[in-house]
Amino acid sequence: MAEPDVVFSADCPSRPILDQIADKWSMMAMAVLEKPTRFNELKRRLDGVTQRVLTQTLRRLERNGMIVRTVLPTSPVGVVYSLTPMGESLREPFCHLYGWTVEHSARIQDCQRAYDENLLRQQEGALG
């Protein structure tokens, strides 16, 4: 929990890191990397991700030290992705966040619907 007097300055080094590791595809990719996994297996398990976005996500995670890319000496050449120790250390908080979203998703959707319905009523009232 942040201290009340903490200032989140624009040049805080945590901001770009949070942007890079806390986006949905990064979190999902790290969640499925329980063991070394090939690119196509990751793509299959991350329904809806494009090849381009997954490639960018994996490069970003590798650049930030969360995963390692290993080229296999096979023909054709294969590549597997694995979590680094630092990436492993993020699995627990990510799993807690994921569990929280699953636990609260129905309630959040109810709140979204109620908000949208209320907004629509307000807009209709302003027009009529």
Side-chain angles (χ1 to χ4, degrees):
M1 198 59 106
E3 296 291 324
D5 61 346
V6 171
V7 175
F8 293 100
S9 64
D11 62 348
C12 178
S14 68
R15 283 186 177 194
I17 296 168
L18 284 170
D19 284 345
Q20 292 173 11
I21 63 172
D23 70 271
K24 73 175 179 182
W25 293 119
S26 294
M27 293 184 71
M28 288 187 216
M30 291 183 66
V32 300
L33 279 171
E34 299 171 55
K35 59 181 176 34
T37 308
R38 289 181 178 243
F39 182 91
N40 286 331
E41 175 63 18
L42 286 170
K43 189 167 179 335
R44 275 192 296 276
R45 294 191 62 198
L46 297 173
D47 189 30
V49 71
T50 65
Q51 183 164 334
R52 181 179 149 271
V53 168
L54 182 55
T55 298
Q56 290 172 338
T57 298
L58 294 171
R59 285 181 182 159
R60 193 170 47 247
L61 289 171
E62 183 179 12
R63 182 174 182 254
N64 287 318
M66 301 297 129
I67 65 170
V68 63
R69 178 183 185 268
T70 305
V71 178
L72 302 173
T74 58
S75 181
V77 173
V79 175
V80 294
Y81 295 89
S82 323
L83 291 174
T84 63
M86 190 163 47
E88 280 288 344
S89 73
L90 263 180
R91 278 186 61 81
E92 184 178 350
F94 275 3
C95 287
H96 285 295
L97 180 57
Y98 175 73
W100 184 91
T101 60
V102 169
E103 180 182 341
H104 294 89
S105 62
R107 178 68 184 125
I108 291 169
Q109 289 172 336
D110 290 343
C111 291
Q112 291 169 342
R113 272 190 295 279
Y115 179 92
D116 293 345
E117 289 168 5
N118 187 40
L119 184 61
L120 184 59
R121 278 194 299 277
Q122 289 176 3
Q123 290 171 343
E124 288 171 348
L127 294 175

